[in-house]
Amino acid sequence: MRQAVFIGDGSRVAAVSDYNPVRIIDLASGDFVGEVAVSTHGTFGGRVAAGGGLLFVSSRSEAVDAYDLETLAVRYSLPGHSTDDSAFIAVSEAAGLVATGTEFWAPERWQTRVRLWTLETGREVGSFVSEG
């Protein structure tokens, strides 16, 4: 397993591993209760986060997809992300924001690009670059 996150009230977990779909596990029963097939290339380097009734998944598609936890359908996608293992996703329900980021090589140094999106619609509301 590469990463796991609690969903909602903490009764479920979303787990991602290399070359498998993201699986949703009910903690009381231990049963798989859903899965998200994120790409034909697996989820190597993928990340997951949850909040606001959504499951955010990055994969080799160069986007972070926001899946509705009720239907497991994509509600919106956040484009422009690296497929590298350095990607991250963070959700603040209190602020109504999603932060995503990737590291990239700029001339002579690593930099990190952080982008902010609204949790409700996935509209980009800001970004900044910092030296790593």
Side-chain angles (χ1 to χ4, degrees), residues 22-43:
V22 175
R23 294 201 169 119
I24 300 172
I25 305 160
D26 179 273
L27 294 178
S29 67
D31 293 334
F32 293 110
V33 295
E35 68 180 32
V36 174
V38 295
S39 124
T40 59
H41 301 291
T43 59

Side-chain angles (χ1 to χ4, degrees), residues 44-47 58-59 81-87 102-104 110:
F44 183 78
R47 296 286 182 253
S58 70
S59 69
H81 294 82
S82 168
T83 60
D84 195 348
D85 200 27
S86 60
T102 55
E103 288 184 328
F104 62 96
W110 283 100

Side-chain angles (χ1 to χ4, degrees), residues 1 3-7 12-16 22-25 48-50 55 69:
M1 183 176 357
Q3 184 185 4
V5 296
F6 287 102
I7 297 173
R12 296 179 294 165
V13 167
V16 61
V22 175
R23 294 201 169 119
I24 300 172
I25 305 160
V48 293
L55 178 66
L69 282 167

Side-chain angles (χ1 to χ4, degrees), residues 6-121:
F6 287 102
I7 297 173
D9 64 0
S11 63
R12 296 179 294 165
V13 167
V16 61
S17 61
D18 293 345
Y19 304 103
N20 287 306
V22 175
R23 294 201 169 119
I24 300 172
I25 305 160
D26 179 273
L27 294 178
S29 67
D31 293 334
F32 293 110
V33 295
E35 68 180 32
V36 174
V38 295
S39 124
T40 59
H41 301 291
T43 59
F44 183 78
R47 296 286 182 253
V48 293
L54 299 170
L55 178 66
F56 295 88
V57 179
S58 70
S59 69
R60 291 186 182 248
S61 69
E62 296 189 13
V64 172
D65 292 322
Y67 291 87
D68 185 295
L69 282 167
E70 299 279 324
T71 64
L72 297 182
V74 175
R75 188 180 298 172
Y76 54 79
S77 292
L78 310 175
H81 294 82
S82 168
T83 60
D84 195 348
D85 200 27
S86 60
F88 70 84
I89 310 165
V91 178
S92 172
E93 290 185 64
L97 294 172
V98 179
T100 61
T102 55
E103 288 184 328
F104 62 96
W105 183 254
E108 302 182 21
R109 65 185 179 276
W110 283 100
Q111 294 186 338
T112 301
R113 175 176 290 118
V114 177
R115 299 168 83 181
L116 300 174
W117 316 82
T118 64
L119 182 57
E120 185 177 338
T121 65

